[in-house]
């Protein structure tokens, strides 16, 4: 199938926009690779330090065996990352079996947004992505690795690791997932309990029981939030092994996939004949494929921030119009909570990413001719792994959906367009996730209630102040103000208002999580209020209009543009929970539309 005209046009636009930055990037990684494996150029003293604790130090010092660096985001507070505890031993065994060696190069931080939602610690969350990139740089700076395997899954971790891997783009990179936890309490039932608690209908004991039944085991949370969107991206962008994303932890297939990932890392170093540097995989076609996957699955709004930052690290320049145009072209093929009732285990069982990639390739909506860690093109990712006699065998994946309530063909999708849209107007530019929003709520016009923090919204709700149609504005939540926290803790109370029959919307320069659901929310408003953006001029009672069909976000009250902007008081968010350490980040961060980054 020939490439769809819009996919071709957007890719060409990105390629032209990125011509000079991409050329400079490729020249940089070529210079880094031209001397061959850098380990050979270390002094004897340098090498002795690097190998001192290794039982097979003679292999490292005296042979040309590949040495694989492990960059790990392991901790045992994140359920998704707890399985990584024993991966280094597994990776070392797999490396030895492949005629290589492996060392843990370094660890990177991995915070849990589920723990910090609505708390001061959430104000460090987005910036943790850049800290992860910096920590990856420190790990890789020892310059002793012929390839790297990256262990990370959740919200900021994969984007941070990608930025680091792209910076060391001359080094081959393989990303290794650990998989989702088994299905627990259905996500829609959990959401119902949260709303009942927010409305005062049940006590905290029942809320806690529901939460514990939902988040109950090692593995990634099963809703289709940012963590699972990240896993989809790694497969669509050719950095996972095919079919690896959603295999549960602790299974023989999961272990075999990890062994195979290490074997591939050893095979694609510059010491052999299949050298495949990470920077060559991460081109404009790979990022377009990733955005197509984001739209087709109804993925997390957080990736609208992360993908531009990830791409910039590889010399590729994305903008919001690219996301908008691709969303207008790519059909929504999946219904996974919060866009439906199923979880990612149900999605995987219905045919999963292999079926989706097969369908999108057949429709001309993906670049087929990309480089991937398999050594082949994207057709490899329409296949799925089977375990035979302890070894991985890839077979053709599903050619028809096994559950059309969860996964549909590109020709008969759930919606003709993707899950995200761009809004602009006299309030600035924003994005909205519409895949879970009912069509009758795609236009909301109502008076504004303006708040400067999410706790004030919760107080107004408890006091019965949000009784009519309302557009809740939460400003001074952008990256320069307080690090751009997620405001997902507002979802239950806004859902209660909507279920009462009120017209409700959210407008904010902050973020919602990948669990953004049925309440229309114009997020990432740029320019943000702390930079004097128009959202800083809003007052209670202003009439706001959020209009998805026309792509507009506007204040209809005359004269609002000439008002003075409200002043940002940073005293409440500048100290405590480590926030004082990130002052330099807040002062130097780029706008959300450019990736909200301080390192790229």
């Amino acid at each position: 199938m020939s490439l769809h005209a819009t996919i071709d046009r957007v890719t060409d636009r990105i390629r032209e926009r990125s011509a000079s930055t991409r050329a400079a990037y490729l020249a940089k990684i070529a210079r880094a690779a031209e001397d061959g494996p850098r380990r050979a150029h270390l002094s004897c003293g340098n090498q002795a330090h690097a190998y001192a604790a290794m039982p097979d130090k003679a292999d490292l010092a005296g042979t040309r065996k590949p040495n694989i660096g492990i960059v790990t985001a392991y901790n045992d507070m994140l359920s998704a990352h707890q399985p990584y505890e024993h991966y280094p031993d597994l990776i070392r065994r797999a490396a030895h079996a492949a005629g290589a060696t492996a060392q843990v190069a370094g660890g990177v931080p991995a915070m849990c947004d589920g723990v910090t939602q609505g708390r001061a610690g959430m104000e460090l969350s987005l910036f943790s992505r850049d800290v992860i990139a910096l920590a990856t740089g420190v790990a890789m700076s020892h310059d002793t690795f012929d390839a790297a395997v990256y262990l990370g899954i959740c919200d900021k971790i994969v984007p941070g690791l990608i930025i680091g891997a792209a910076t060391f783009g001359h080094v081959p990179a393989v990303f290794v997932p650990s998989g989702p936890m088994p299905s627990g309490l259905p996500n829609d039932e959990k959401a119902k309990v949260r709303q009942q608690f927010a409305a005062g209908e049940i006590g905290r004991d029942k809320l806690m029981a529901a939460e514990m039944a939902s988040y109950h085991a090692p593995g990634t949370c099963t809703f289709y939030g940012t963590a699972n969107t990240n896993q989809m991206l790694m497969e669509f962008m050719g950095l996972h092994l095919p079919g690896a994303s959603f295999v549960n932890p602790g299974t023989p297939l999961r272990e075999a996939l990890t062994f195979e990932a290490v074997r591939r890392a050893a095979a694609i170093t510059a010491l052999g004949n299949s050298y495949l540097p990470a920077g060559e995989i991460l081109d404009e076609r790979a990022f377009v494929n990733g955005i197509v996957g984001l739209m087709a699955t109804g993925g997390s709004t957080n990736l609208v921030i992360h993908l531009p930052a990830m791409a910039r690290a590889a010399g590729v320049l994305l903008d919001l119009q690219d996301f908008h145009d691709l969303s207008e072209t790519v059909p929504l093929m999946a219904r996974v909570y919060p866009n439906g009732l199923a979880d990612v285990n149900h999605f995987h069982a219905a045919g999963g990413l292999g079926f989706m990639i097969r369908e999108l390739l057949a429709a001309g909506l993906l670049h087929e001719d990309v480089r991937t860690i398999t050594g082949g093109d994207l057709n490899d990712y329409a296949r799925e792994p089977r375990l035979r006699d302890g070894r991985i065998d890839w077979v053709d994946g599903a050619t028809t959906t096994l559950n059309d309530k969860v996964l549909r063909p590109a020709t008969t999708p759930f919606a003709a367009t993707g899950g995200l849209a761009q809004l602009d107007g006299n309030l600035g530019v924003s994005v909205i996730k519409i895949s879970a929003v009912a069509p009758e709520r795609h236009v909301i016009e109502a008076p504004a209630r303006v708040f400067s923090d999410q706790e004030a919204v919760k107080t107004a709700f408890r006091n019965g102040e949000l009784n009519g149609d309302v557009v809740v504005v939460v400003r001074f939540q952008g990256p320069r103000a307080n690090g751009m926290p997620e405001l997902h803790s507002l979802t239950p109370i806004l859902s209660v208002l909507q279920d009462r029959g009120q017209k409700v919307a959210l407008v904010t320069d902050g973020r919602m999580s990948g669990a953004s659901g049925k309440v229309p929310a114009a997020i990432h408003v740029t320019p943000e209020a702390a930079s004097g953006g128009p959202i800083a001029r809003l007052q209670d009672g202003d009439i706001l209009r959020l209009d998805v069909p026309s792509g507009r976000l506007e204040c209809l009250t005359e004269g609002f543009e000439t008002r003075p902007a409200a002043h940002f008081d940073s005293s409440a968010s500048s100290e405590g929970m480590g926030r004082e350490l990130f002052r330099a980040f807040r002062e130097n961060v780029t706008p959300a539309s450019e990736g909200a980054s301080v390192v790229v």
Side-chain angles (χ1 to χ4, degrees):
M1 181 73 176
S2 59
L3 192 64
H4 190 285
T6 299
I7 306 298
D8 197 22
R9 174 173 55 83
V10 172
T11 306
D12 280 346
R13 185 171 71 204
I14 295 169
R15 187 180 292 116
E16 182 177 350
R17 183 192 307 137
S18 310
S20 61
T21 51
R22 180 66 177 170
Y25 172 79
L26 291 174
K28 179 188 77 169
I29 66 171
R31 289 193 299 272
E34 64 186 4
D35 290 335
R38 304 300 298 173
R39 182 159 44 97
H41 301 280
L42 298 178
S43 72
C44 293
N46 293 148
Q47 292 193 59
H49 277 287
Y51 315 148
M54 294 286 285
D56 46 4
K57 57 177 66 69
D59 283 345
L60 286 163
T63 73
R64 284 175 57 83
K65 286 186 176 182
N67 189 32
I68 299 169
I70 305 166
V71 180
T72 177
Y74 162 73
N75 66 48
D76 61 7
M77 187 192 69
L78 274 76
S79 61
H81 289 199
Q82 186 271 349
Y84 284 144
E85 180 175 4
H86 302 294
Y87 271 46
D89 285 340
L90 179 65
I91 290 168
R92 282 188 281 265
R93 294 201 311 269
H96 292 160
T101 57
Q103 296 174 287
V104 174
V108 304
M111 65 182 293
C112 181
D113 290 357
V115 175
T116 58
Q117 285 289 347
R119 310 293 298 171
M122 174 53 77
E123 296 179 15
L124 307 187
S125 175
L126 180 57
F127 289 147
S128 76
R129 181 196 66 196
D130 287 23
V131 174
I132 290 161
L134 293 168
T136 301
V138 172
M140 296 300 294
S141 68
H142 295 99
D143 208 14
T144 65
F145 305 111
D146 303 296
V149 293
Y150 292 93
L151 312 183
I153 289 176
C154 289
D155 296 18
K156 264 55 73 198
I157 294 98
V158 166
L161 291 172
I162 286 284
I163 293 170
T167 304
F168 287 80
H170 61 292
V171 179
V174 176
F175 279 65
V176 182
S178 74
M181 68 178 67
S183 301
L185 180 74
N187 286 294
D188 60 318
E189 292 184 29
K190 173 194 67 181
K192 181 179 178 180
V193 172
R194 286 179 175 177
Q195 288 182 224
Q196 289 173 330
F197 179 77
E201 297 171 3
I202 61 170
R204 185 171 292 276
D205 57 338
K206 292 186 178 179
L207 175 65
M208 178 59 80
E211 298 287 358
M212 296 287 280
S214 180
Y215 307 116
H216 64 97
T220 315
C221 306
T222 60
F223 65 87
Y224 195 55
T226 310
N228 286 316
T229 303
N230 285 339
Q231 301 312 290
M232 174 279 298
L233 277 174
M234 293 301 92
E235 209 150 321
F236 268 74
M237 294 176 68
L239 290 167
H240 272 179
L241 290 177
S245 297
F246 300 132
V247 176
N248 299 123
T251 60
L253 180 57
R254 175 84 278 156
E255 181 170 315
L257 282 164
T258 301
F259 259 80
E260 181 64 18
V262 177
R263 191 187 73 80
R264 283 305 302 161
I268 59 177
T269 74
L271 294 169
N273 297 319
S274 303
Y275 178 45
L276 187 54
E280 292 188 9
I281 292 177
L282 292 168
D283 67 6
E284 64 282 344
R285 297 168 300 170
F287 284 103
V288 167
N289 283 352
I291 298 173
V292 169
L294 180 67
M295 301 309 171
T297 58
S300 169
T301 55
N302 280 324
L303 272 299
V304 181
I305 293 176
H306 295 322
L307 275 163
M310 294 157 61
R312 192 175 292 267
V316 177
L317 305 180
L318 304 178
D319 65 23
L320 291 181
Q321 192 65 45
D322 302 327
F323 288 84
H324 179 81
D325 290 354
L326 292 172
S327 182
E328 287 290 294
T329 302
V330 176
L332 179 66
M333 297 169 59
R335 287 284 193 203
V336 186
Y337 188 85
N339 305 327
L341 299 182
D343 66 23
V344 293
N345 292 309
H346 304 134
F347 168 77
H348 186 62
L353 297 178
F355 173 80
M356 181 172 280
I357 289 171
R358 179 190 300 275
E359 285 286 310
L360 291 167
L361 283 168
L365 293 169
L366 285 171
H367 288 281
E368 176 183 1
D369 58 335
V370 291
R371 304 193 75 182
T372 76
I373 63 165
T374 68
D377 61 23
L378 203 62
N379 283 297
D380 287 346
Y381 289 78
R383 307 179 75 198
E384 57 187 39
R386 291 287 185 270
L387 193 57
R388 304 186 195 279
D389 299 323
R391 296 292 299 270
I392 294 290
D393 182 25
W394 269 274
V395 301
D396 288 341
T399 56
T400 59
T401 177
L402 302 180
N403 186 341
D404 66 3
K405 294 181 175 63
V406 178
L407 182 62
R408 290 187 181 174
T411 52
T412 56
F414 291 101
T417 59
L420 295 174
Q422 176 180 315
L423 303 177
D424 59 28
N426 62 7
L427 289 179
V429 179
S430 69
V431 296
I432 183 170
K433 181 176 178 178
I434 56 173
S435 51
V437 177
E440 62 268 22
R441 299 189 180 111
H442 286 189
V443 178
I444 300 291
E445 184 175 313
R449 276 297 308 272
V450 183
F451 303 91
S452 293
D453 63 76
Q454 56 187 315
E455 285 305 315
V457 181
K458 297 174 185 177
T459 299
F461 173 78
R462 289 191 294 267
N463 292 341
E465 299 173 18
L466 303 176
N467 289 327
D469 295 345
V470 64
V471 177
V472 173
V473 177
V474 190
R475 63 190 180 194
F476 298 118
Q477 303 299 304
R480 292 187 66 84
N482 62 354
M484 205 179 189
E486 289 182 351
L487 306 178
H488 181 51
S489 66
L490 297 180
T491 298
I493 64 174
L494 295 177
S495 298
V496 168
L497 298 178
Q498 184 169 269
D499 288 348
R500 290 174 180 170
Q502 298 169 226
K503 292 182 179 179
V504 180
L506 174 69
V507 173
T508 181
D509 49 9
R511 295 184 293 132
M512 293 295 282
S513 80
S516 302
K518 62 185 181 180
V519 177
I523 59 178
H524 309 175
V525 174
T526 306
E528 64 173 286
S531 296
I535 192 174
R537 300 187 178 92
L538 292 176
Q539 297 176 357
D540 287 350
D542 285 344
I543 303 301
L544 306 187
R545 182 176 176 87
L546 183 157
D547 188 332
V548 174
S550 68
R552 303 296 291 171
L553 177 65
E554 296 179 304
C555 176
L556 305 181
T557 301
E558 291 186 10
F560 110 94
E561 297 98 333
T562 62
R563 297 175 191 158
H567 174 68
F568 172 54
D569 180 3
S570 64
S571 60
S573 59
S574 61
E575 294 181 348
M577 287 297 151
R579 289 177 289 183
E580 51 270 78
L581 299 173
F582 286 80
R583 178 180 176 182
F585 282 57
R586 293 189 294 271
E587 291 176 349
N588 293 284
V589 66
T590 60
S593 57
E594 298 177 17
S597 178
V598 295
V599 299
V600 291

